[in-house]
Amino acid sequence: MTAHLAELLAEARIVPVLTVPDPRTAAPLARALAAGGARCAEVTFRTPDAEQVVKAMAAQGDLVVGAGTVLTAEQAERAVAAGARFLVSPGLDDEVLDTARALGVPIAPGVATATELMRAIRAGIDTVKLFPAEPLGGRAMLRALAAPFPGVRFMPTGGIDAAALPGYLAEPSVLAVGGSWMATPALLASGDYAEIRRLTAEAVERSLP
Ligand code: 3PG
């Protein structure tokens, strides 16, 4: 399961993190991200209609759609029922991990310390979200945290923008970088899909070796 997530993230390299208040914007958003070259997207469960957003984006068919900000087992169940193909959480919660395992859906739990990373490894996880990456210390922190754990791969997220993207992706421990800068709440509110597409294409371009 986690091997599959690692493969997806290694191919995608960027994971647009989306907080979408209005499900009617989900389809054009999915089209803009796909047109920009994104392979996957993470829909956060921070809005009441996140399930509808997952469903509508998945129905577009061009993106592997996952769910983010999954805080509870119940949210994990709802996300997967809506069509989420992977789960992301800001932290490490045993019930959420157990639920993901029972549902057969890969999950990247969030870690911010070596202790949390050791707990994740003990739970059979090998792909984690480093969160919140920039406030924690950015690339230097990531490198130091990753050093004792050569088998673990990271998706740093939190405060990252297009300028910081190549630096993170240059780290051998990094599979992909997550962030909301490609489709900010302001861009979504104004329906500026052309700009979302442009920012996504720019990120894809910067993610190339
Ligand atoms: C997340 O939910 O993973 C982060 O809040 C996204 O971080 P960003 O908005 O700083 O990119």
Side-chain angles (χ1 to χ4, degrees), residues 130-146 154 156-160 164 167-168 171 173-174:
L130 177 70
F131 181 76
E134 281 287 295
L136 283 172
R139 205 175 154 185
M141 190 280 183
L142 166 71
R143 198 179 299 157
L145 180 65
F154 293 84
T157 306
I160 301 176
Y168 278 99
E171 295 295 327
S173 65
V174 170

Side-chain angles (χ1 to χ4, degrees), residues 9-107:
L9 295 178
E11 271 181 33
R13 299 296 267 165
I14 55 160
V15 181
V17 176
L18 314 168
T19 298
V20 186
D22 182 352
R24 288 172 300 182
T25 63
L29 172 59
R31 289 195 292 270
L33 293 170
R39 303 276 192 93
C40 67
E42 175 190 326
V43 176
T44 66
F45 267 56
R46 298 186 198 180
T47 56
D49 292 327
E51 282 164 270
Q52 278 69 40
V53 176
V54 169
K55 259 185 215 157
M57 291 190 67
Q60 288 295 309
D62 294 323
L63 294 171
V64 178
V65 180
T69 321
V70 175
L71 306 180
T72 65
E74 188 253 343
Q75 281 179 329
E77 280 164 5
R78 286 201 281 121
V80 173
R85 302 208 1 226
F86 63 92
L87 303 175
V88 181
S89 180
L92 188 68
D93 179 90
D94 292 334
E95 268 185 38
V96 173
L97 293 186
D98 289 348
T99 304
R101 191 176 297 116
L103 293 168
V105 173
I107 180 165

